[in-house]
Amino acid sequence: MIVAFDFDGTLASSFSLINKCIFKVLEEEGIHMDESSLGPYFGPTEEGMINHILNNENRANFEKYLKYYSEYHNVLLNALNPYCIELLEHLKNKGITLVLLTGRSLESTLISLSYFGLNKYFEKIYVGSKDRGVKKENFKKLMKDFSCTNKDIIYIGDSKKDILDCLALDIKILSINFDNNRLIKLKELNKFCYSNFIDLEQELNKLI
């Protein structure tokens, strides 16, 4: 059995950090946006989002983003979501294979994994593409890499898109969201929805 975790909104409430750093890069280019304006750009990695907004493929913009990401990490993302580490420890002790499957960039992922000491938990990391969302493709890579089927995977994610991607591949997903309004909307698509990792773990224990 493989349990795959999303990062943003799942293991960590990281959108404030991501948004802040994107805004800092955009401001240097004279563009001012608010969080509600970013929604249509989510899907690719942070680099892809910045490129799309600026209509510019200049790698230097993403390098600025990573500089800000490191600089503000300790201020805007200094803790994981509650009971996250305990769940990872529990699964690791049971011999469950853990992977990280996220839509963000490899570079920012490695910064956060190092910051929180999470590298020891995940046997493999799958990240996004600057061109588009690639979670479905990454699930297929996962199945090939571990010689497993969709029935051997459980995904832990926080978004509607996570649910739709898993439904398309017939992969079991347990949804978690710490925003009650968003959680209600997720429950319209997936009955396995939770507001905390303690309740999620109870369902997970039935499946592993």
Side-chain angles (χ1 to χ4, degrees), residues 58-204:
N58 187 351
R59 174 74 178 186
N61 291 320
F62 181 56
E63 292 172 353
K64 291 177 185 176
Y65 167 85
L66 293 174
K67 177 178 70 72
Y68 288 128
Y69 189 89
S70 296
E71 179 181 340
Y72 287 103
H73 203 297
N74 190 52
V75 178
L76 296 175
L77 186 58
N78 57 17
L80 294 166
N81 283 330
Y83 203 71
C84 165
I85 291 293
E86 289 86 347
L87 177 58
L88 294 174
E89 287 282 357
H90 169 70
L91 295 172
K92 200 73 172 176
N93 290 337
K94 289 180 73 71
I96 301 298
T97 298
L98 303 179
V99 303
L100 187 70
L101 198 150
T102 173
R104 59 157 55 209
S105 66
L106 175 62
E107 293 88 342
S108 65
T109 298
L110 293 177
I111 292 170
S112 288
L113 291 182
S114 177
Y115 182 91
F116 291 117
L118 292 176
N119 293 290
K120 63 183 179 181
Y121 295 107
F122 300 112
E123 295 195 22
K124 199 166 183 65
I125 298 169
Y126 299 87
V127 296
S129 163
K130 68 178 182 178
D131 299 316
R132 65 189 190 285
V134 292
K135 277 195 176 178
K136 284 193 286 189
E137 289 92 331
N138 278 338
F139 278 122
K140 293 175 183 178
K141 288 180 183 177
L142 186 161
M143 286 185 266
K144 181 178 180 182
D145 290 342
F146 289 90
S147 300
C148 67
T149 72
N150 54 345
K151 301 301 182 184
D152 300 312
I153 303 168
I154 300 170
Y155 191 57
I156 313 297
D158 72 302
S159 71
K160 175 181 177 181
K161 185 65 165 58
D162 291 336
I163 295 173
L164 295 177
D165 284 347
C166 287
L167 286 175
L169 296 173
D170 196 21
I171 289 172
K172 181 77 171 183
I173 177 170
L174 304 184
S175 298
I176 187 164
N177 202 292
F178 298 88
D179 182 312
N180 285 333
N181 291 328
R182 292 180 180 176
L183 190 65
I184 290 171
K185 293 180 180 179
L186 294 182
K187 287 181 178 178
E188 296 174 2
L189 295 171
N190 180 26
K191 66 178 182 179
F192 300 101
C193 292
Y194 308 91
S195 61
N196 61 80
F197 279 117
I198 295 175
D199 290 341
L200 184 147
E201 182 184 315
Q202 291 180 359
E203 180 63 30
L204 194 53

